[in-house]
Every structure is written in structure tokens, then in C-alpha cells.
Amino acid sequence: MIVVHAIAILQQEIAAWKQNGKTIGLVPTMGALHRGHISLVEKCRTETDCCIVSIFVNPTQFNDQMDYASYPKKFKDDSVMLKEACCDILFAPSEQEMYPAPDTRTFDFGMLDKVMEGRFRPGHFNGVAQIVSKLFQAASPDKAFFGEKDFQQLAIIRALVQQQNCPVEIVGCPIVRESEGLALSSRNARLTIKQRQIATKISQTLTKSYALVSSKTVGETIAFVTEEINAEPSLRVEYFDIVNGNTLQPVTDWNEADYIVGCTAVFCGEVRLIDNITYRKQKTLKNATPPCS
Ligand code: PAF
């Protein structure tokens, strides 16, 4: 694995791979890596010849400066993990390298970013679109790999690629969970052992709610999930929405769309965690998969 900090050097390396007819895969990250990220690296390695992982804590996607300042940074541990996972290039640019001048671009994602994360974190997805488009420009990957935990982010990035005619295939990868169900996240590093235990209530409640689809309305399911999670004093639901998985707009009836997903953001103490569950995908309820057993 080589570590590269400059876009010009990254592009030289990539040109050499491409000259040999090799395909390029990119896994964009903000570091503080865990098994979820490594699953993206593994997927990238099976689908492309050269695996690039970027580590850059992007300031423009944080609407809360405290959140930016406290975002975990573990570059040494990350490099070891990536080397072990057989990453080919670790791209770790400075802020000056990615933003030599302020990025004033604004993106229009219609209603996609007006709900859920977009509603509670204004400007967040504009910042994500800024950095992801810059990374795509720098690395010109054939494929880029993102986790489905950030369900709305994945939809936004698919829209970005379509709008900008980027010749990159976006690959969504399943959520990786702790054995008791907690979705892996870099933010979990900020949870105490006790909080980690408490936070499992989030995925466990989502899993329970999956069984309600045949007997409860969408509204009743929203009430169940919200009340059950809020019943734990250390947890506070910021939102739990049941949405059309393609448009991300709320649904009021289980038959309203072929693809239905429940998405939530929950505070565990000061730490904000997100998770989701697919209730329905494609034609029948049978195709849906619960997040964990
Ligand atoms: O999902 C993340 O870690 C970030 O939002 C991303 C895609 C790396 C952009 O900074």
C-alpha cells in the first residue's frame, strides 16, 4: 500500500494502473475505520483491480463545529487496517489540497435532501456532494463504494452522479453490525461501554417493527418505534421516518411503494447515531430483509 497526499501524485499512480488496462475502485471515508469500512474495501477488491481508500474529514459537510472538532481521528490505526485489508492506495489529502479555494458550488437535489438528515443537518448533503465530486474528479474511479447505513447519502450520491454525468458506478454495500445489532459507525468510538449496550435498542426496535408490517399501519409503526426507543432514558429519537426507498418521501400506506425503508437518527447521550431497515423491496413483502436476527 502506498500513502499519497497530493492529487497530482494520485493521478500519476492511477494513470499507471489505467495504462495497464486496470479498473479503479474508490472507497471514500472520513477515517476512524471499522469493519464496516473494511467490508467496503473487500467489495472494492473483488470488483476492481486497484483499490483506493480516501481518508478526509470533510469540513464542509459538518453543520455543527463541535461535531467536526470531536470527529474521531485515528490515522495510524486506519493505515494498519487498510494495509492488512490489501488496499493499494491510501489517499489522505490536506484541507488545502481539497479546498485550495472555498467551494461555493450549490447542488440541487430537489426533495431528496429536504427530509431526514437534510432537514436536521442543513447544508450537510451539499458538503457531501462537494467533496465526493472532488474525489471523483481526483481519482476518476470506475466504481465507488458506499455503505447503506447512510441510506440518504447513497441516494444523494446516485443523484449527483446522474446530474453530473459522472462515468462512475455507485455500489451500495450492506450495513455491518455488532453481534447484538448496533450498526457499526465511526461515532460508536465516542460511546461508553454502557452506552454501546443501550444503543443496541435502536436496531433491536427496528427489527421488532419489521414484524408489525402485516398488522399495523405506517403511522402505528412510527409511533411504536419512536415510543419504544424513547422509553430508554439515555436515548432520544430525532426522527424516525418511513419513506419510499427511491424518492425518500414519507409514505402513509405500506402499499404506496414497492420499496419502503424506515430511517432513524437517535441521540445516545451526545452521540448522534443513524440506522435504517428495509421493510419492503421490489414486488412483494417476501423480498424484504430484516437488518439482523
Ligand atoms: O460517509 C462518509 O464517511 C462521508 O460522508 C464521505 C462519503 C466520505 C464524504 O465525506
Side-chain angles (χ1 to χ4, degrees), residues 28-30 56 58 61 128 131-132 146 150 153 157:
T29 82
M30 297 205 297
F56 180 67
N58 173 38
Q61 71 186 73
V128 169
I131 191 62
V132 169
F146 296 88
D150 293 287
Q153 171 171 281
I157 289 166

Side-chain angles (χ1 to χ4, degrees), residues 27-31 37 40 54-62 71 99 121 124-125 127-132 135 145-147 149-150 153 157 186:
V27 180
T29 82
M30 297 205 297
H37 293 112
L40 303 181
S54 62
I55 295 184
F56 180 67
V57 184
N58 173 38
T60 72
Q61 71 186 73
F62 286 84
Y71 201 85
Y99 294 105
R121 301 181 69 189
H124 168 65
F125 287 121
V128 169
Q130 286 175 342
I131 191 62
V132 169
L135 289 169
F145 300 80
F146 296 88
K149 182 174 75 65
D150 293 287
Q153 171 171 281
I157 289 166
S186 302

Side-chain angles (χ1 to χ4, degrees), residues 1-17:
M1 181 179 86
I2 59 165
V3 181
V4 171
H5 301 285
I7 293 173
I9 307 291
L10 176 71
Q11 289 178 333
Q12 275 174 21
E13 294 293 331
I14 290 169
W17 282 85

Side-chain angles (χ1 to χ4, degrees), residues 16-72:
W17 282 85
K18 288 199 168 180
Q19 259 161 25
N20 291 324
K22 304 292 186 195
T23 55
I24 307 297
L26 175 67
V27 180
T29 82
M30 297 205 297
L33 303 181
H34 49 69
R35 281 187 292 115
H37 293 112
I38 298 305
S39 77
L40 303 181
V41 173
E42 283 163 1
K43 182 83 171 157
C44 178
R45 291 192 56 239
T46 62
E47 296 204 2
T48 59
D49 300 311
C50 170
C51 173
I52 304 171
V53 176
S54 62
I55 295 184
F56 180 67
V57 184
N58 173 38
T60 72
Q61 71 186 73
F62 286 84
N63 56 319
D64 173 352
Q65 282 315 298
M66 280 290 285
D67 192 23
Y68 175 55
S70 61
Y71 201 85

